[in-house]
Amino acid sequence: VQYEFYETAGPQDAWKKAQEFEIDSYDALVAVGGDGTIHEVVNGLLMRPDGRKIPVGFLPNGSGDDCCGNLGLDTGDIQTALKFILAGQTIKIDAVRALLDYDTREELETACEADPSIDFAKHLRYSITNSGLCLSANIARNAKWLKPYIGGAAYDVQALIELAKPKHVCYDIEVDEGSLNSTKEEGMVAWKQNLAVTFLNIYNGKYGGGRMNLSPTSLLNDGYFNLCVYNQQLGPLTANYLFTKVKRGGIHIYEDLI
């Protein structure tokens, strides 16, 4: 198999490469790394100016590798991943589009044309594994300093740190063709307004935070994502209780707290 190896030089480099490489010269694009590298490759590919796509393969070589875990690959299991790639086996994976300050991609594109100073990538991202706000987002962002030393365990340690500084953030939540408990409904749309939440997560796959089974019913290619909202104060004892349930196979979803 002929291949070309490209070593990234830093953050956003994989994104830029996937966005600009000559797509007609290759049969597939393979991301070697963890969830951050995969995130960059997927976003670069989905934001290509020509709108073209190519099959993407993953070789798990990160600290958590949650995306590859959703595909049945263990961290560092390069040989199994290579077998899938060499066999040419492909599946479609759902992509969750997250927009900031704009309601549609078209609206954002129009704004960027009118004002070139607007950074497109700061207002739109695609996620194929999971996305989070509040507590979970703070854990993922602030665990970076520990990852070089303790790998995936950095998320557990950072979770304890973040729990020591409780914080609620208010959001309006609207769900198309669905329902939320205790919501006002109009037609097929349900919503909550000004809801104070401790964490709000959107799961496309089961795993997050270093192979924790956070959403056991999620599938990468079922056309849906799962929304998990926790709007109570999360103290150390409650957090420990829920994390114990998480690590026992994701049975926390049966708790009334979630």
Side-chain angles (χ1 to χ4, degrees):
V1 176
Q2 292 184 335
Y3 66 91
E4 178 182 316
F5 182 78
Y6 177 80
E7 183 175 0
T8 57
Q12 306 300 311
D13 197 23
W15 181 316
K16 183 178 180 181
K17 183 67 174 178
Q19 194 170 23
E20 299 177 352
F21 80 106
E22 183 53 57
I23 203 167
D24 287 324
S25 301
Y26 304 92
D27 297 313
L29 178 62
V30 179
V32 184
D35 294 307
T37 302
I38 292 173
H39 176 78
E40 287 196 22
V41 169
V42 168
N43 274 271
L45 192 62
L46 292 180
M47 293 189 195
R48 287 178 63 91
D50 57 15
R52 300 183 64 187
K53 301 180 182 66
I54 193 173
V56 178
F58 305 135
L59 296 182
N61 191 34
S63 57
D65 294 313
D66 292 317
C67 180
C68 288
N70 289 312
L71 295 170
L73 294 170
D74 292 330
T75 295
D77 191 2
I78 303 297
Q79 294 304 315
T80 301
L82 283 173
K83 289 178 181 178
F84 286 133
I85 293 171
L86 293 175
Q89 297 176 342
T90 61
I91 61 170
K92 290 185 177 181
I93 295 178
D94 301 325
V96 178
R97 181 165 57 196
L99 282 155
L100 179 65
D101 299 327
Y102 298 90
D103 291 328
T104 65
R105 176 167 177 161
E106 290 72 24
E107 182 182 336
L108 173 58
E109 290 173 341
T110 300
C112 289
E113 291 176 0
D115 184 359
S117 67
I118 296 175
D119 189 338
F120 187 88
K122 287 186 176 180
H123 295 274
L124 184 149
R125 292 291 176 96
Y126 290 94
S127 169
I128 62 172
T129 306
N130 56 64
S131 304
L133 299 172
C134 311
L135 178 65
S136 54
N138 291 335
I139 292 171
R141 180 183 65 246
N142 297 332
K144 293 179 181 178
W145 69 282
L146 276 172
K147 287 175 67 176
Y149 305 104
I150 58 176
Y155 299 107
D156 296 335
V157 175
Q158 193 62 43
L160 295 175
I161 296 174
E162 296 300 329
L163 287 170
K165 41 184 180 180
K167 183 179 181 181
H168 281 104
V169 182
C170 294
Y171 295 96
D172 293 341
I173 303 174
E174 181 177 304
V175 180
D176 297 327
E177 298 184 2
S179 64
L180 292 172
N181 293 332
S182 303
T183 63
K184 180 177 179 181
E185 297 189 9
E186 181 179 279
M188 294 299 290
V189 176
W191 74 89
K192 284 180 178 287
Q193 292 183 317
N194 202 33
L195 176 66
V197 302
T198 303
F199 64 75
L200 187 159
N201 292 346
I202 295 172
Y203 299 109
N204 190 40
K206 302 178 188 298
Y207 299 112
R211 297 299 179 97
M212 290 194 293
N213 194 348
L214 299 174
S215 183
T217 61
S218 292
L219 296 172
L220 290 178
N221 58 353
D222 62 355
Y224 297 94
F225 61 78
N226 289 354
L227 176 66
C228 177
V229 179
Y230 186 87
N231 63 346
Q232 302 179 45
Q233 188 63 51
L234 190 61
L237 292 179
T238 303
N240 182 66
Y241 174 77
L242 290 176
F243 278 127
T244 299
K245 297 286 186 178
V246 168
K247 294 197 172 186
R248 288 176 59 190
I251 60 175
H252 62 289
I253 64 171
Y254 300 108
E255 297 290 330
D256 292 336
L257 296 170
I258 300 297

